[in-house]
Amino acid sequence: QIARGETPVGMRAVGAGKWRSKLWLRVAYKSALDSLSIFESGSSMKAENPDAQGWYSIVGEPTSAALRPLRAIEYIEKLSITKSRRITVRHAGALCTIGPIKWLWLWCDVTLTAMQHIVKLPGLELLDVLNITGPGSLSGFESATSLRAFRANLFLKERDIIAIAKCATLQELG
């Protein structure tokens, strides 16, 4: 039914237009990730030196080994993590072992439980997240001590916005 553009029988109660638009968004999102070869294994990075715009980059999973070169850096102005399948609690814990990060850009899925740890990163002022996934709801933003801007691109729910608003230092939500 999906291939023919028809709404599956169980979805008719939700509304055909609403269901199709959500399906299209998920298909477009998956397509964009696939075009970036996001499901490559392993990590590569250019952490020793930032690029021309001042970004340190991790391409792939942000494991302890991938983050090791960043531990020598006292203060990280900008860090991007791309082409990772999903940032989990284990990855968030590894991020906590490096120095303060001012701006963290996560071009990947991040689990709800990992977000609890990420928002507590020391010195974090700007946080950009492509997609927050998992069952449950966001929490932990009340513990963020320096977060000024939070931008999440996909699938935030009303209860997530309410949890984000508990951050006392937040000035920008996008």
Side-chain angles (χ1 to χ4, degrees), residues 69-108:
L70 294 174
R71 290 188 188 115
I73 301 167
E74 213 172 292
Y75 176 76
I76 298 171
E77 177 110 16
K78 302 176 197 175
L79 175 63
S80 69
I81 300 175
T82 59
K83 297 186 182 181
S84 175
R85 289 179 191 256
R86 178 177 300 157
I87 304 290
T88 63
V89 172
R90 183 174 51 89
H91 297 127
L95 278 170
C96 292
T97 65
I98 61 177
I101 304 168
K102 182 177 180 180
W103 185 355
L104 181 59
W105 189 64
L106 302 172
W107 185 254
C108 53

Side-chain angles (χ1 to χ4, degrees), residues 28-29 32-38 55 58-60 79-87 104-110 127-131 152-154:
Y29 172 68
L33 293 179
D34 288 346
S35 70
L36 291 172
S37 304
I38 198 150
W55 286 94
I58 296 174
V59 179
L79 175 63
S80 69
I81 300 175
T82 59
K83 297 186 182 181
S84 175
R85 289 179 191 256
R86 178 177 300 157
I87 304 290
L104 181 59
W105 189 64
L106 302 172
W107 185 254
C108 53
D109 290 350
V110 180
L127 177 59
D128 289 302
V129 180
L130 177 65
N131 187 30
N153 293 352
L154 299 172

Side-chain angles (χ1 to χ4, degrees), residues 1-3 5-16 19-20 23:
Q1 288 176 326
I2 295 171
E6 298 173 7
T7 305
V9 175
M11 294 295 194
R12 289 196 178 122
V14 174
W19 182 83
R20 281 192 188 118
L23 174 66

Side-chain angles (χ1 to χ4, degrees), residues 108-134:
C108 53
D109 290 350
V110 180
T111 65
L112 289 163
T113 51
M115 284 298 299
Q116 295 173 16
H117 300 280
I118 290 170
V119 297
K120 295 177 191 174
L121 288 171
L124 185 64
E125 293 182 24
L126 303 150
L127 177 59
D128 289 302
V129 180
L130 177 65
N131 187 30
I132 300 170
T133 64

